Amino acid sequence: MSEGGGEGTAEHCGLRAALGGLTTRGRSFLAAGLAAMACSYLLGQADLLRVGLLLAALPLVCVLVLHRTRYRVAGSRALSPARVPATAESRVRLRMENVSRLPTGVLMLQDRVPYVLGPRPRFVLDRVEPGGRREVSYRVRADLRGRYPLGPLQLRLSDPFGMCELTRSFSTVDTLTVVPRVEPLPPVRLAGEAAGYGDGRQRSLALAGEDDLIPRDYRHGDDLRRVHWRSTARHGELMVRREEQPQKARCTVLLDTRAVAHPGAGPDSAFEWAVAGAASAAVHLLERGFSVRLLTDTGTSVPGPDGAGGFAGGAASADAVGLLLDTLAAVDHSEAEGLSAVYDAVRGGDEGVLIAFFGDLDEEQAAVAGRIRQRCGGAVAFVLDGDAWTRGPGGISLSAGQVPVAERVRLLRRAGWTALPVTPGDALADLWRAAADRAGPDPGWPADASTPETVAGGRS
């Protein structure tokens, strides 16, 4: 359970703000008093003047008393947890402490929260003794990912007659991070997971310390235990075995964020499915020991913990998962028209396996995706059928000019992608397994690298 919060002291308001805090009752009393004094002057009635002075003085005295209230109240807020997946709840705890030497009157607390998190919570606290504390809590829930500010906390003071109400605000604002929902995925092998890539962390550790069979000349200071005697006999001079560096599993997750590719908005839109799918794939690969690079259609790589464009799996995967989900919590549509920036970003050709979540693609962008495919060891594309997401009542399509999803999938498969269509209600876990089955066994995978995991083609 993680907590985040801050403390502060309610700010003192000026006399003008105090006069602005008159309630309807206070304004009515003040208006009636002024009217009575005016009538007493016109009618020459001294008793009516006394009544008018009493009516007008009562709200003004209440304003003055509240304005000169000198007790100090400290408040703090704690979120448990501060990072939640979409549709999950977080508990917010508020604590008030009277740090003055005087007891307080009746206090009303109000915390400012965004509309999407629900109504503003309000609490009424009875008299708080000097040094006393009061704690209250409420729950918030968001169906859509994002970063939502909570606060500042407002403290409302009122007099016993209800003539005046003053609001004093704290300065602390906390942030609730709502991340995409992560779906567990089956441990299958996808196309392009060559040796050293499928088992991730286990495979890399197994390679560490093993000897490369390609020998080199003996150099002064080399350990004699690394002499390769068979090569020494063949060449007539001492030869030693090279140390092979462990291979690191690599993968790139491509998220198509183009606004033109994802019609519609909201928690049930195609774009939100793509973001949640990218989060699920990245987290799954990180947990398997892959070094994951998150890439968008703008060609921008999300910086990892070390400032580089990638997140390392293995022992540090928990921290990497948190940073990656925080990034995806704030991702939004881009104004890009095509995928050419992605091709420039992967021109180095060292991307490992490429997992892409595409929206609408025309023939030109499908051709660009084909060139991207040539830069990767393996490529799996989940193509979202935006027309199905935006189809209105009676099956009427609300989007125009889209290439049918079947045609998009055909173009990608022709370019060498393992492409699958995605419609509303599809589970990523089923599509993930189908991608492995469609890819078939990878010829680059060594025959002795089989594990109890499910492999492509449904064999184990």
Side-chain angles (χ1 to χ4, degrees):
M1 180 180 297
S2 62
E3 294 185 353
E7 298 185 358
T9 304
E11 299 176 355
H12 192 71
C13 58
L15 183 59
R16 180 176 297 181
L19 288 173
L22 283 172
T23 62
T24 302
R25 179 184 299 178
R27 296 175 186 273
S28 300
F29 267 67
L30 183 60
L34 294 175
M37 288 187 289
C39 290
S40 70
Y41 175 77
L42 295 176
L43 301 177
Q45 297 291 329
D47 293 338
L48 188 59
L49 177 61
R50 297 187 186 95
V51 173
L53 288 174
L54 177 62
L55 292 177
L58 182 59
L60 294 179
V61 170
C62 292
V63 168
L64 184 61
V65 171
L66 283 183
H67 170 65
R68 295 187 62 84
T69 299
R70 294 301 181 186
Y71 57 79
R72 298 175 63 245
V73 179
S76 64
R77 182 190 301 103
L79 280 65
S80 302
R83 180 196 295 130
V84 295
T87 70
E89 289 186 344
S90 176
R91 176 183 291 272
V92 183
R93 297 197 302 272
L94 303 176
R95 186 178 69 175
M96 303 300 300
E97 181 179 1
N98 184 9
V99 296
S100 67
R101 298 179 180 179
L102 299 175
T104 70
V106 177
L107 304 177
M108 189 177 78
L109 298 179
Q110 176 178 280
D111 205 10
R112 298 184 62 180
V113 300
Y115 175 77
V116 295
L117 298 182
R120 291 185 177 182
R122 294 182 175 91
F123 305 94
V124 177
L125 302 181
D126 293 332
R127 176 179 178 274
V128 182
E129 66 279 3
R133 297 179 181 179
R134 299 291 187 272
E135 289 190 3
V136 293
S137 65
Y138 63 95
R139 293 181 179 273
V140 291
R141 176 180 180 271
D143 293 330
L144 189 63
R145 61 185 175 78
R147 294 175 179 170
Y148 301 97
L150 300 180
L153 182 65
Q154 294 179 334
L155 179 65
R156 182 173 296 179
L157 309 175
S158 63
D159 64 279
F161 301 102
M163 297 290 179
C164 182
E165 289 185 351
L166 298 183
T167 300
R168 297 181 179 178
S169 298
F170 295 83
S171 58
T172 303
V173 177
D174 298 295
T175 301
L176 174 68
T177 303
V178 181
V179 300
R181 288 174 293 179
V182 176
E183 181 179 352
L185 301 180
V188 297
R189 294 198 186 104
L190 301 176
E193 294 188 2
Y197 285 84
D199 292 334
R201 177 173 59 254
Q202 294 85 352
R203 188 70 182 169
S204 296
L205 291 177
L207 286 174
E210 290 187 358
D211 294 333
D212 189 354
L213 295 180
I214 302 177
R216 61 170 175 80
D217 296 337
Y218 174 82
R219 298 171 186 170
H220 179 71
D222 286 338
D223 191 349
L224 292 177
R225 290 175 296 182
R226 307 199 66 82
V227 174
H228 193 263
W229 297 109
R230 182 176 302 176
S231 299
T232 298
R234 183 183 304 115
H235 293 84
E237 56 183 1
L238 285 178
M239 305 290 291
V240 296
R241 294 171 288 187
R242 297 176 180 173
E243 295 181 357
E244 181 182 358
Q245 299 297 324
Q247 282 184 299
K248 185 63 177 178
R250 294 180 57 84
C251 178
T252 297
V253 177
L254 171 60
L255 176 61
D256 184 4
T257 63
R258 295 174 299 142
V260 296
H262 296 284
D268 297 325
S269 63
F271 180 67
E272 294 302 320
W273 194 101
V275 175
S280 301
V283 170
H284 172 74
L285 294 168
L286 280 172
E287 292 175 347
R288 291 185 62 191
F290 279 73
S291 176
V292 178
R293 178 190 184 191
L294 180 61
L295 189 65
T296 64
D297 56 281
T298 60
T300 304
S301 297
V302 177
D306 56 353
F311 297 85
S317 61
D319 296 336
V321 166
L323 292 173
L324 186 143
L325 292 179
D326 287 346
T327 301
L328 289 175
V331 71
D332 203 354
H333 290 288
S334 72
E335 300 299 327
E337 297 291 337
L339 302 173
S340 57
V342 179
Y343 176 74
D344 296 335
V346 301
R347 186 171 294 179
D350 189 20
E351 303 301 319
V353 182
L354 177 61
I355 310 295
F357 294 84
F358 288 125
D360 185 24
L361 295 173
D362 54 21
E363 293 186 2
E364 179 182 356
Q365 300 309 317
V368 176
R371 294 197 298 270
I372 296 173
R373 166 67 183 90
Q374 299 173 3
R375 300 292 179 177
C376 306
V380 178
F382 299 95
V383 187
L384 279 70
D385 186 1
D387 182 69
W389 258 280
T390 58
R391 191 171 295 133
I396 300 176
S397 178
L398 303 181
S399 59
Q402 277 195 350
V403 177
V405 66
E407 178 65 15
R408 283 179 269 161
V409 170
R410 186 186 66 83
L411 292 174
L412 290 177
R413 288 177 179 174
R414 178 183 296 178
W417 288 81
T418 300
L420 293 94
V422 182
T423 56
D426 288 346
L428 180 60
D430 298 334
L431 296 173
W432 191 265
R433 186 178 290 106
D437 293 342
R438 176 173 292 276
D442 185 3
W445 191 272
D448 59 348
S450 60
T451 67
E453 297 176 341
T454 303
V455 297
R459 295 177 297 178
S460 59

